[in-house]
Amino acid sequence: MEVKKINTFLEKYNTIAVLCNQWGDTGKGKFIDLFSHWADIVARGTGGANAGHTINIAGKEFCFHLLPSGLLHKNKINIVGNGVAFDPRVAKEELEILKKETNNEFGKLMIAYNAKLMLPTHILLDRLNASGAKGVGTTGRGIGPMYQDHTARTGLIVNDMLNKETFERKFIRNLENKMPILKSYDKKIIKEILNHEHLGSGIYYDEENIINIKRVVEEYMKYGEMFKHQISDTDKFLRDNKKTKKILLEGAQGFLLSIDYGAQPFVTCSDPSIEGLSKGVGLKEEDVDKTFGLEKAFYMTRVGEGPFPTEMGGEKSSIWCREKTKHEEQTKYPNVTVNDEDEFLQGIAIRKEGFEYGATTGRPRRTGWLDLPLIRYAKIINGKDIVLTKVDVLKDCNKIKICYSYTYDGDEYFYGGKILKKGDILTLAPNDQYVLSKCKPNYKEFKGWNKDIRNIKEYENLPKEIKEIIEYIEIECDVNVVIVSVGPKREDTIYRS
Ligand code: IMP
């Protein structure tokens, strides 16, 4: 039934994209899984093992980071595109789980020969905080250092795992500018980091030279051997098939974390917008017939550092989420409620209700109210079609606040060719971290609906309080809410055409 509905909903399209319009974690996994039924090919084009989605195999939950989740569907082709940071260790681990748990009944994997190659040194530098990203709160998956190498023209690609001499030559060159940095650290710290299982549990450490080059080469040659049948020109494959096959582009991270569109430095190092995603699989943006931009509603979350104007509990929340674990939070605050007068506590209760703890890092996600200036900003690049996710989470909230504009509260500041002054009103989110950090949200309050909505199948049957908020968002942001997700299950999905 659900599959029929999806096929009808998507029948006009050849290529679609599902991506997040916020700071990640908007529930892409559910839609990738749903739309995979429609697709022949699922392709990722940005990010790397910093992404995290929970997948369910035969009733057991697994957290996948790198491989497209369309692999769960046995007749589908899954592509890791040229824009992805490919970490062969993670790919191997995820494939092993798939093989074991599905009895080898999973989709076909293709890896772009020109995908960027993650090296142990990238992860080491990320974990040493040695790539200029201090204070950003990265996921420690090597993303920043790897993309830095790409733009510095010293990076390696997946294809290099198939050519020993090239790999060796490029890797030695790649290490040249890293050795002085690595040598400036206490060897004990480096050894400890390299002992992590993500880094081969110590096999890459060398007492004399810090990095055991020979061992890295050997291991990567083994990976090359392992993946050689999957590595190919996936850009060409997608271009050749774009008119005849149904293609689903799977976004990673979120628009607001884009290296190009996010507020630096609190961003990731790829461009998760529709532009970056299409380029990252070898297509043009105009090849994508429909882009679905996911917005968690009517609250939102952020992992890691950076300005978050509507954060419940403001700075107190951001410090708490930086320092505490899920367990510590739940032990200290077992009885918080989503109607707590104290927004910090209310934020914790909403986080608990929405299971907002990082899939990759386990960190509590900072929680805030839905922010329309940010939706307007994402729309400029990702387009007007919006999917509202997790709408069921706030079911017990008596009052919902929606931020419709900001009042600037900083010093006089040049921004975008104008001088901003205290008291100025902004309706479009700025992509400047200073300005965004000085934006105070202006809210419109709505009444909650106080009932479970998970079984509702038609838009008309949603509580009038929810429809009022949705229509407010559509008018205020000039967007179309095309899907409303009212629960985690496939059938908890309302399609509007
Ligand atoms: P990096 O991508 O590991 O370099 O991390 C840069 C910033 O992006 C940090 O604030 C991370 O928490 C954030 N980030 C990266 N990937 C994700 C994601 O998939 N969801 C949410 N935040 C992410």
Side-chain angles (χ1 to χ4, degrees):
M1 175 62 188
E2 275 316 296
V3 176
K4 209 169 145 213
K5 253 195 202 169
I6 294 154
N7 286 339
T8 314
F9 186 69
L10 298 176
E11 72 188 348
K12 297 195 281 291
Y13 313 119
N14 263 326
T15 301
I16 63 167
V18 170
L19 34 74
C20 160
N21 276 357
Q22 298 174 341
W23 286 293
D25 312 311
T26 41
K28 281 184 292 285
K30 165 175 164 175
F31 287 93
I32 302 297
D33 175 52
L34 264 175
F35 293 171
S36 294
H37 289 281
W38 161 88
D40 303 308
I41 304 172
V42 182
R44 264 193 74 172
T46 57
N50 50 345
H53 42 259
T54 309
I55 58 165
N56 196 300
I57 312 177
K60 276 199 246 169
E61 287 209 327
F62 297 91
C63 183
F64 269 32
H65 301 284
L66 181 62
L67 298 181
S69 27
L71 274 170
L72 285 177
H73 301 255
K74 84 169 190 251
N75 301 321
K76 313 285 170 176
I77 295 174
N78 285 263
I79 292 181
V80 172
N82 75 68
V84 173
F86 182 77
D87 184 336
R89 185 202 63 81
V90 179
K92 174 177 178 256
E93 190 177 291
E94 293 181 357
L95 277 176
E96 277 165 5
I97 295 176
L98 275 170
K99 276 183 194 152
K100 183 162 163 247
E101 302 294 331
T102 66
N103 281 328
N104 270 323
E105 300 260 302
F106 59 93
K108 177 178 170 182
L109 177 66
M110 292 172 77
I111 305 162
Y113 78 97
N114 49 347
K116 282 87 194 147
L117 188 62
M118 181 62 68
L119 297 167
T121 29
H122 295 136
I123 301 171
L124 171 63
L125 288 162
D126 200 5
R127 294 185 186 187
L128 281 168
N129 243 321
S131 65
K134 240 192 190 105
V136 172
T138 73
T139 59
R141 297 303 184 115
I143 302 297
M146 198 226 66
Y147 284 108
Q148 276 175 1
D149 276 351
H150 176 59
T151 42
R153 297 170 286 195
T154 56
L156 276 72
I157 57 172
V158 159
N159 201 62
D160 297 331
M161 295 194 293
L162 304 177
N163 297 289
K164 189 171 179 205
E165 266 175 37
T166 307
F167 185 97
E168 211 158 13
R169 176 176 47 78
K170 285 173 86 173
F171 184 47
I172 290 169
R173 174 157 178 260
N174 174 280
L175 279 180
E176 271 167 22
N177 63 354
K178 302 197 169 55
M179 285 325 287
I181 303 174
L182 293 178
K183 281 185 181 151
S184 71
Y185 283 87
D186 185 340
K187 272 191 186 165
K188 266 202 275 176
I189 298 174
I190 295 192
K191 189 174 177 184
E192 198 182 307
I193 296 176
L194 285 176
N195 264 335
H196 196 281
E197 57 181 319
H198 289 172
L199 284 150
S201 307
I203 57 172
Y204 300 125
Y205 180 71
D206 182 275
E207 194 57 38
E208 197 181 334
N209 303 308
I210 304 178
I211 301 295
N212 185 335
I213 296 179
K214 191 165 165 265
R215 195 65 202 263
V216 175
V217 177
E218 268 170 26
E219 288 302 307
Y220 274 70
M221 289 308 106
K222 282 191 218 156
Y223 287 132
E225 193 52 37
M226 187 180 302
F227 290 114
K228 73 176 179 209
H229 299 295
Q230 275 112 2
I231 298 170
S232 63
D233 188 346
T234 59
D235 290 356
K236 180 171 184 314
F237 178 80
L238 280 171
R239 285 196 291 263
D240 289 349
N241 285 286
K242 69 182 182 192
K243 295 271 183 262
T244 50
K245 295 266 190 274
K246 294 190 206 96
I247 303 171
L248 165 62
L249 305 188
E250 171 176 348
Q253 283 76 51
F255 177 77
L256 302 174
L257 287 171
S258 162
I259 185 79
D260 297 312
Y261 296 110
Q264 295 231 13
F266 303 107
V267 294
T268 186
C269 283
S270 65
D271 172 22
S273 75
I274 187 58
E275 294 170 352
L277 178 54
S278 24
K279 185 175 175 198
V281 296
L283 294 178
K284 289 181 284 189
E285 202 190 330
E286 63 253 39
D287 292 328
V288 183
D289 305 315
K290 193 78 163 175
T291 298
F292 295 97
L294 270 57
E295 301 276 0
K296 188 144 59 188
F298 303 112
Y299 69 104
M300 56 195 291
T301 58
R302 175 164 205 171
V303 185
E305 302 302 309
F308 186 178
T310 62
E311 182 166 11
M312 297 177 194
E315 209 186 334
K316 187 173 172 192
S317 156
S318 77
I319 296 171
W320 175 264
C321 292
R322 183 190 310 140
E323 293 176 352
K324 304 294 176 189
T325 60
K326 175 181 174 184
H327 178 73
E328 285 170 310
E329 175 163 294
Q330 299 197 344
T331 315
K332 173 132 198 227
Y333 297 110
N335 299 318
V336 281
T337 84
V338 293
N339 291 311
D340 209 304
E341 287 286 303
D342 178 341
E343 278 213 341
F344 170 70
L345 299 178
Q346 184 179 28
I348 293 179
I350 292 177
R351 175 153 66 239
K352 225 166 146 181
E353 202 63 36
F355 304 107
E356 299 293 356
Y357 298 91
T360 300
T361 59
R363 292 181 281 189
R365 295 178 183 145
R366 299 157 66 194
T367 304
W369 294 108
L370 187 65
D371 180 322
L372 303 193
L374 288 169
I375 297 188
R376 293 185 191 108
Y377 180 52
K379 181 194 80 174
I380 297 170
I381 304 298
N382 282 351
K384 281 181 151 196
D385 293 309
I386 301 295
V387 176
L388 295 181
T389 65
K390 300 186 91 164
V391 177
D392 55 307
V393 171
L394 299 189
K395 71 174 185 338
D396 296 318
C397 267
N398 297 331
K399 189 173 75 187
I400 310 285
K401 285 164 62 174
I402 304 281
C403 164
Y404 59 89
S405 71
Y406 307 136
T407 302
Y408 178 68
D409 192 35
D411 297 331
E412 268 195 20
Y413 191 78
F414 278 97
Y415 173 68
K418 286 196 213 127
I419 302 179
L420 272 177
K421 295 204 180 75
K422 211 187 214 54
D424 281 353
I425 300 291
L426 281 80
T427 51
L428 186 65
N431 68 342
D432 176 291
Q433 77 87 16
Y434 172 74
V435 180
L436 195 57
S437 73
K438 297 293 174 192
C439 284
K440 299 277 170 264
N442 298 313
Y443 291 112
K444 181 171 163 72
E445 290 187 2
F446 292 84
K447 211 168 148 288
W449 53 94
N450 292 109
K451 65 164 91 90
D452 195 351
I453 55 170
R454 285 197 179 170
N455 290 320
I456 298 177
K457 305 274 179 257
E458 305 295 332
Y459 182 78
E460 289 62 40
N461 298 336
L462 281 172
K464 66 176 187 333
E465 292 85 357
I466 295 188
K467 285 189 288 192
E468 194 189 329
I469 305 177
I470 293 179
E471 281 145 37
Y472 177 72
I473 296 170
E474 289 188 312
I475 291 169
E476 275 285 320
C477 301
D478 184 27
V479 293
N480 309 315
V481 172
V482 291
I483 299 178
V484 184
S485 176
V486 292
K489 294 212 284 297
R490 287 175 183 172
E491 53 276 22
D492 299 331
T493 312
I494 297 174
Y495 301 92
R496 294 170 85 197
S497 41

